[in-house]
């Protein structure tokens, strides 16, 4: 992976990828593959065992990462 796909502090982001439709789904954006898989199971349950779902690294410029940063900032402001 290139450094461009990492965040400003070197973070890596992971999301759920559907190999059948060739799209990322559910807006999942986590810092580890384990947390991304856990979020996928929380979203769709045991259907996540299907071979169509993969956890893939996403680039920092991906819309899911940008959305996760906005939500994090909103949570910090409201607390």
């Amino acid at each position: 992976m290139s450094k461009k796909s990492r965040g400003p502090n070197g973070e890596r982001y992971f999301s759920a990828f559907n190999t059948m439709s060739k799209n990322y789904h559910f807006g999942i954006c986590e810092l580890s593959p384990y947390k991304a898989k856990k979020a996928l199971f929380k979203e769709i349950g045991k259907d996540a065992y299907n071979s169509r779902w993969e956890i893939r690294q996403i680039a920092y410029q991906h819309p899911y990462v940008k959305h996760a940063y906005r939500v994090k900032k909103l949570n910090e402001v409201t607390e």
Side-chain angles (χ1 to χ4, degrees), residues 31-74:
L31 292 173
S32 72
Y34 173 76
K35 287 182 181 179
K37 188 134 188 137
K38 190 174 177 181
L40 179 64
F41 271 90
K42 188 175 182 180
E43 192 72 37
I44 63 172
K46 290 187 178 182
D47 287 338
Y49 283 118
N50 289 342
S51 60
R52 75 177 72 176
W53 296 104
E54 292 180 357
I55 302 302
R56 290 191 179 179
Q57 184 173 349
I58 56 177
Y60 178 67
Q61 294 79 17
H62 196 279
Y64 288 172
V65 176
K66 297 296 182 186
H67 176 71
Y69 264 66
R70 285 195 300 270
V71 169
K72 183 179 176 184
K73 285 184 181 181
L74 283 175

Side-chain angles (χ1 to χ4, degrees), residues 2-14 31 57 60 69:
S2 66
K3 287 192 175 188
K4 288 184 180 180
S5 67
R6 293 184 179 225
N9 297 324
E11 309 100 345
R12 297 181 340 174
Y13 301 96
F14 297 90
L31 292 173
Q57 184 173 349
Y60 178 67
Y69 264 66

